[in-house]
Amino acid sequence: MLAVTQIKYIKHEVNQKGDSYSDIGRRMRLDPYTVKKYANKGDFTEREKQERPSPVMDPVKPILDKWIKEDLKKKKKNHRTAKRMFHQLVKYHSFIGSYRTVRAYVSKKKKELKEYIEEASLPLESIPGTAQVDFGTAPFLYHSEVIDLPYLVMSFPYSNSFYFQVFPSENTECLLEGLQRIFHHMGGVPHTIRFDNLSPAVKKIGAKGERALTDTFERFVLHHGFHYEFCNPGKGNEKGHVEAMVKYVRNNFLLPECTVLDLDQFNETLWELAEVDRDRSHYEKQVLQSKLYIEEQERWLMLPEKSFECVRHQEVKADKYGFVSIDQKQYSTSPRFAKQVVRVRITYRFIVILNEQNEVIVKHHRLYGVKRKSMVWQPYLDLLSRRPRAIKYSSLYEQFPQIWTDYLNNCTEEEQKSALRLLGKLLKNNDFRLLNQALQSASVHGHPSADQIKHCFYSLLHDDHPYQTIKPTVEVPQVPVASRGLSHYDSLFQNGGEIK
């Protein structure tokens, strides 16, 4: 349609001055028929465009719409071309139309969907397939102690639904582990997720609001392909839905404090709680939340083919005893890595120490709470069995259970070697409990040998009667108390070389 000024000019020149259509067409560089059309046009009412029915295309439009929406959940390289769609319509749906018609419709529909997805004026609450994420805290009876633990909530504003998982911390590894668990349980990824400025995700906020993301979080976003949004600093109301849902989850599912024996097993019970909760009417839309949730599913992105490894790698220098410090907690490596740089693989559950060839040196359960040091004995016991005197003059001596510290203190050098070799063979999963019972049982009638401790250990392991010495039937004369162990060496040095 011509501009209003052009139409006015045509009407004036034709109707008032009587110029010919051809003359006006030459002056305006228009076709004379166009000039005639607007000179004589009397109705300029804007009318809605009427789409004519298409008996060939109309039956296949819903099929094409479905394919286009499915493809938008995938990587671009996996999208079907219009030509491929045309061939599928011909083969499976007896389509008799032309390829050009299909191509034009697919192009138009993709443009419409793209404009809808990129619409920025709509509030997040009104868009299906979006989510908000935040942490909350609640009390739990965990390991026989009432402590506060964080729980991660992902809420879906459109359907007013949610999922949540409990973790020992709010660190990067717990955040990403929680998000990925929820994605896999859902079977898809929200196309847009709004976060607060969580430190596991955001390293720094720039002057103009730009965010410097943590490396692991940035790789997680790229892997799953979702769009992220962050609230403005101090504007928690911008993710008001998840904040309300954090409170709802705590009040309805986590109070009074839940008893947790195994955190992973406990988390498996939480999926059903969230899903049953959807069987109620939406507070505004008066529709079951479970039905709205189905609409959410149609807008999710597809899961990546491979899971993301929620791991952080770090290089750390061990101290003189072979301990490394991770997040202000200490973990043992091996005596041969003392004062050397080792590679550490950090997940929410484990701290794995690796050598230069990425071979596992030792694996620890990650520490949370007040406990500050994790000791895995096996790498140290071999060294100590060859150099037993060194144990008294290192902090490692204090790491043994007290019953073993007292026993080793009263051993001769050869007895210490045998006892340490026995510990290296029998100690499993760093658990001294059965070994402590064996030593206590073997010590009932005096200072035991390594073989006696071993006998008691296997008797307890197989529920046999522990080793017991045979009591004499006749009275035995009292034997003077003998000095055992290496304490006489200490006396030698303390008394200037004279043994008393």
Side-chain angles (χ1 to χ4, degrees), residues 375 377-378 401 404 423 426-437 457:
M375 178 74 186
W377 278 103
Q378 267 73 14
W404 280 95
L423 281 173
L426 300 182
L427 185 61
K428 303 295 182 186
N429 301 320
N430 231 37
D431 188 351
F432 273 91
R433 286 177 296 181
L434 195 59
L435 282 162
N436 291 347
Q437 293 178 41
F457 177 86

Side-chain angles (χ1 to χ4, degrees), residues 1-2 4 7-8 11 37-47:
M1 185 172 175
L2 297 182
V4 173
I7 297 172
K8 284 182 176 181
K11 282 183 169 291
K37 171 188 171 183
Y38 283 101
N40 299 316
K41 186 174 181 179
D43 186 4
F44 285 89
T45 303
E46 185 176 359
R47 303 184 187 279

Side-chain angles (χ1 to χ4, degrees), residues 345-359:
R345 187 175 183 272
I346 304 166
T347 71
Y348 94 99
R349 289 187 64 189
F350 297 108
I351 301 291
V352 184
I353 315 295
L354 309 169
N355 61 17
E356 291 181 352
Q357 290 74 41
N358 282 329
E359 297 169 336

